[in-house]
Amino acid sequence: MQGAFALHQEALHRCGVESVQVRNADQLLSCDALIIPGGESTVISKMLKANCLEAAFAAAVQNKLPMLGTCAGMILLANEIEDGTPDQTSFGAIDIDVTRNFYGRQVDSFESAIELNVPPSIASKLETEAQLHAVFIRAPGVSRVGDAVEVWATYDNEPVLCRQNQVMVSSFHPELIPEDDRVHQLFLAVANQ
Ligand code: GLN
């Protein structure tokens, strides 16, 4: 409904996976997995309400639909948003709390190498104990990590890529680095587990 969905579709296409843009409950029901893109979490939250998708989305979380939330998408999937707007909803798909704009405002956006540390059993053919180039745009931070959550990458000792069962979240925008689809491939591995 909002945000950087087109580039995610291109990344999925490169990974050999078909995707649709989800704007209503029927489209959501037709999916085996869902990516909630970066953008503006308060707007996505409002649009879910305005398009009567909130209940269907909450049901998809309840039914354990595999989900990847990047940046604003991570905020939507968190347990608690420490500085959300009063009308903003988070869906508790992964046991983390988040702080919006943790790394500062738009002008403080940055790119950096981050350290991936993913168990090789998840995707043995990928380089998962290596660096990854990450783009942070008004990125959220993870202020609490629940016991069941695995931290798969850090930047400056802060978790920036986390996974709990069928849900993965990143503070950064993996779709902006088209020459490296490892985050999407990892998500497909998680979704297929
Ligand atoms: N700061 C935005 C928010 O609060 C997220 C930014 C992004 O997705 N690039 O939703």
Side-chain angles (χ1 to χ4, degrees):
M1 350 198 83
Q2 195 263 344
F5 47 80
L7 290 176
H8 278 291
Q9 287 197 282
E10 289 178 20
L12 289 174
H13 183 72
R14 286 192 298 274
C15 296
V17 170
E18 258 182 70
S19 64
V20 294
Q21 295 174 11
V22 172
R23 295 199 176 81
N24 62 45
D26 284 343
Q27 288 162 336
L28 181 58
L29 283 173
S30 76
C31 292
D32 302 312
L34 182 69
I35 297 180
I36 301 125
E40 175 50 51
S41 57
T42 54
V43 175
I44 299 176
S45 189
K46 280 197 185 103
M47 304 267 292
L48 283 173
K49 288 187 182 87
N51 290 278
C52 304
L53 246 180
E54 209 177 29
F57 186 65
V61 169
Q62 198 72 30
N63 294 333
K64 303 200 179 309
L65 184 71
M67 293 192 191
L68 168 64
T70 61
C71 207
M74 168 165 116
I75 297 171
L76 271 127
L77 294 181
N79 238 0
E80 253 184 55
I81 309 168
E82 293 200 332
D83 51 352
T85 56
D87 60 344
Q88 181 170 13
T89 314
S90 68
F91 289 85
I94 181 164
D95 187 21
I96 59 168
D97 297 342
V98 294
T99 309
R100 295 175 59 220
N101 306 326
F102 179 79
Y103 297 94
R105 302 170 53 192
Q106 187 79 10
V107 291
D108 302 308
S109 298
F110 63 98
E111 300 182 20
S112 175
I114 60 170
E115 297 294 332
L116 262 191
N117 193 0
V118 182
S121 57
I122 303 290
S124 56
K125 294 196 186 95
L126 291 182
E127 271 196 285
T128 50
E129 286 167 328
Q131 287 197 331
L132 182 137
H133 190 75
V135 182
F136 294 83
I137 305 170
R138 285 192 304 126
V142 179
S143 51
R144 184 189 62 82
V145 177
D147 290 342
V149 175
E150 299 164 36
V151 174
W152 278 1
T154 54
Y155 167 74
D156 207 13
N157 292 324
E158 299 288 345
V160 292
L161 180 68
C162 299
R163 177 264 174 123
Q164 181 179 4
N165 300 323
Q166 76 290 350
V167 177
M168 242 176 101
V169 292
S170 70
S171 298
F172 56 91
H173 280 256
E175 80 286 0
L176 288 178
I177 309 292
E179 53 281 3
D180 185 355
D181 289 321
R182 274 178 294 168
V183 171
H184 291 85
Q185 285 165 339
L186 282 171
F187 175 54
L188 295 175
V190 161
N192 281 319
Q193 267 193 343

